[in-house]
Amino acid sequence: MGVTKEDVETAITSSLSPSHLVVTDTSGGCGASYEIEVVSEKFEGKRLLERHRMVNTALAPHMAEIHAVSIKKVLTPAQAQPQPEPAADKAQA
Amino acid sequence: MAASASASAARPLAGDSLTIHVSSRPQLAMVSALPRSSPPTWRLGLGRPARLSTRSPHARSVRCLAAGGGLAPEMRATLDKVVASHKVVLFMKGTKDFPQCGFSHTVVQILRSLDVPFETLDVLANEALRQGLKDYSSWPTFPQLYIDGEFFGGCDITVEAYKSGELQETLEKAMCS
């Protein structure tokens, strides 16, 4: 059994307490591929690489079953504010 | 994980038994410094990289090694050499000309478009390399891009850094060093 979208959301929510989270299943249903957007205060002062590592760490227990994770956005609340959410449009498309 | 193990189990990964197909031959001169026949007599302290290399001081090791405890010392030493053997090293699925994965393909395209010389290693051709790198870089997926001996990121980071110009900057700096 693959990893569900909810599994991914729960894992990220519990370790990063995001203020905004979009998990998109891009696997076509088999649960092996996800796109992720996260906004969290915990990214404050962290470089992009470190932010990605934090997300990877959160997902570590599931990684064996996930084939691909694409981390599209890792933003702090402050960074997420000024942009009128061009990313959000895409995610909903 | 396959690479975690006692000293004896780690021996198959030792220096010269690790066949690595690089797109052009890395300079392996320093590999002779590796403990080849004798079993490792030292163990890694938690997470600290063992620096066998006497190469340039800026051949930094990977920053975040807290999770890399399961890596055999020989594998770590070998990877230290490999990532330092060229300015830009890409560990990918497939080869430059025949990437076996969309993410790997993307990074190859970016590097090509920037006209930067880079070496690639196919992790699909070497399972020990593939598992070892995950620990070494503390990064669960491929491709993995190394610039100037330092882990730069995977596909998403490379794409983002390409868009922001940070990748070009980092590469320029690496080429001049």
Side-chain angles (χ1 to χ4, degrees):
Chain A
M1 194 56 207
V3 177
T4 65
K5 181 170 171 283
E6 287 72 31
D7 291 336
V8 175
E9 286 169 349
T10 307
I12 293 177
T13 303
S14 66
S15 60
L16 296 174
S17 21
S19 57
H20 170 81
L21 172 65
V22 178
V23 177
T24 313
D25 185 341
T26 52
S27 72
C30 76
S33 184
Y34 292 96
E35 276 185 17
I36 299 170
E37 293 177 25
V38 199
V39 178
S40 168
E41 280 179 2
K42 298 197 177 177
F43 294 139
E44 204 71 64
K46 299 276 203 298
R47 288 163 27 120
L48 188 61
L49 180 65
E50 296 171 89
R51 294 179 188 190
H52 277 241
R53 282 198 195 283
M54 289 162 74
V55 177
N56 287 339
T57 304
L59 292 177
H62 298 302
M63 276 313 280
E65 290 180 75
I66 299 178
H67 174 69
V69 170
S70 190
I71 302 171
K72 290 298 178 194
K73 299 272 172 207
V74 274
L75 301 175
T76 61
Q79 287 175 315
Q81 279 302 336
Q83 298 152 353
E85 306 212 12
D89 295 345
K90 217 170 122 195
Q92 283 154 15
Chain B
M1 208 155 278
S4 73
S6 64
S8 58
R11 289 186 68 181
L13 300 180
D16 52 352
S17 66
L18 177 71
T19 319
I20 291 181
H21 304 280
V22 75
S23 50
S24 81
R25 268 196 106 96
Q27 296 120 28
L28 288 174
M30 289 170 301
V31 173
S32 57
L34 285 174
R36 289 193 174 198
S37 47
S38 55
T41 51
W42 38 273
R43 283 199 149 265
L44 288 182
L46 275 184
R48 287 316 298 171
R51 303 296 298 167
L52 283 184
S53 171
T54 52
R55 198 180 171 272
S56 52
H58 67 262
R60 289 141 301 193
S61 59
V62 208
R63 223 176 283 105
C64 175
L65 284 164
L71 191 58
E74 289 86 356
M75 177 59 99
R76 180 178 300 283
T78 303
L79 290 175
D80 280 346
K81 307 280 187 281
V82 173
V83 301
S85 65
H86 297 276
K87 295 281 187 185
V88 183
V89 180
L90 179 67
F91 298 95
M92 61 179 286
K93 292 184 174 178
T95 63
K96 242 185 227 188
D97 292 319
F98 294 100
Q100 301 281 317
C101 154
F103 299 105
S104 290
H105 177 73
T106 300
V107 176
V108 168
Q109 291 310 310
I110 287 177
L111 292 175
R112 284 221 162 117
S113 79
L114 295 176
D115 211 14
V116 60
F118 64 102
E119 299 306 318
T120 63
L121 284 91
D122 183 1
V123 298
L124 295 178
N126 189 322
E127 185 61 21
L129 174 68
R130 182 179 178 176
Q131 293 308 326
L133 269 168
K134 291 183 185 180
D135 282 341
Y136 183 79
S137 310
S138 303
W139 197 259
T141 54
F142 292 95
Q144 296 184 2
L145 179 62
Y146 275 80
I147 300 175
D148 221 357
E150 189 173 7
F151 182 59
F152 185 81
C155 180
D156 295 324
I157 287 181
T158 305
V159 168
E160 202 149 318
Y162 174 64
K163 286 182 188 159
S164 74
E166 192 194 332
L167 175 64
Q168 291 86 324
E169 217 173 277
T170 308
L171 286 169
E172 238 162 74
K173 238 184 269 167
M175 292 305 154
C176 295
S177 65

